[in-house]
Amino acid sequence: MRRALLAVPLLLAACGSTETPNAATTIAAATSPASSTVAATTSPAAPSPSSTIAAGPKLGTAQPFSSDGSSARLTAFSVRQPTALKAPKPQAAGMEWASADVQVCADVLGPNYDYLYVTNDPWSLVYADGTTATPSSVTYQQFDAPEYPITDRTIKVGRCIRGWVTFTAPAGKKATMVEYQSRDGNVFDWSTE
């Protein structure tokens, strides 16, 4: 029995939350404004970091991904930051918890593969200044739930895994994108704006 890696581990956390987002910002596909207006200025200004980052489709948009004869659909639905306010704080100064509701669906498996291997490693949050937040290596019961396991998981064709990935994120910032980056260099982005 072989695993289809799709040249990248895929991840998903779960979709619901047992905790109210108390004062947390939630950016969701159904409520995200689609704003592409750019204000004109009369004096030249240096481009902001966010203007140099190409925006992907809006949250909630499924994106196809294929590799080695296998294919899947990747979707990022929403972002919360801060979140898990009652959990112990991240150890690094100036950081807070953020989470993204994401999903991976296995559509086709390549020859000799029985299932798709998924993990949270490929997911990240991207900020206007170019910084990124990576998945947390710890878990707390106060994290958005159901939480996708940090350990490896497999799914069969026709099945999906959806859930919350929790990140150690820079405090006070708002992610501009959710990103999925495969081992073979495929990058998928969803705009949070």
Side-chain angles (χ1 to χ4, degrees), residues 10 12 71-74 103-107 116 155 159-161:
L10 303 172
L12 282 192
S71 66
R73 282 171 288 125
L74 312 172
Q103 176 175 277
V104 173
C105 296
D107 294 330
L116 179 72
I155 57 175
R159 305 247 350 240
C160 299
I161 293 181

Side-chain angles (χ1 to χ4, degrees), residues 7-156:
V8 206
L10 303 172
L11 150 66
L12 282 192
C15 57
S17 174
T18 58
E19 159 182 3
T20 306
N22 300 336
T25 302
T26 299
I27 305 164
T31 60
S32 294
S35 174
S36 60
T37 306
V38 177
T41 60
T42 55
S43 60
S48 68
S50 61
S51 67
T52 61
I53 299 174
K58 294 190 317 186
L59 290 168
T61 304
Q63 296 191 58
F65 173 50
S66 53
S67 178
D68 292 336
S70 297
S71 66
R73 282 171 288 125
L74 312 172
T75 309
F77 294 99
S78 63
V79 175
R80 292 180 179 166
Q81 186 175 348
T83 191
L85 300 176
K86 294 182 180 180
K89 303 284 184 213
Q91 290 183 350
M95 303 301 273
E96 65 188 1
W97 302 118
S99 60
D101 176 11
V102 297
Q103 176 175 277
V104 173
C105 296
D107 294 330
V108 175
L109 293 178
N112 304 315
Y113 291 108
D114 296 313
Y115 54 89
L116 179 72
Y117 165 81
V118 295
T119 183
N120 65 353
D121 292 340
W123 295 97
S124 62
L125 298 178
V126 180
Y127 295 83
D129 63 1
T131 59
T132 60
T134 58
S136 172
S137 60
V138 298
T139 185
Y140 295 105
Q141 67 180 13
Q142 297 91 342
F143 282 1
D144 290 321
E147 183 182 12
Y148 188 80
I150 294 173
T151 58
D152 303 340
R153 175 86 184 256
T154 60
I155 57 175
K156 289 188 172 276

Side-chain angles (χ1 to χ4, degrees), residues 152-176:
D152 303 340
R153 175 86 184 256
T154 60
I155 57 175
K156 289 188 172 276
V157 169
R159 305 247 350 240
C160 299
I161 293 181
R162 179 175 176 177
W164 292 96
V165 178
T166 301
F167 302 89
T168 305
K173 292 187 178 185
K174 177 187 170 209
T176 57

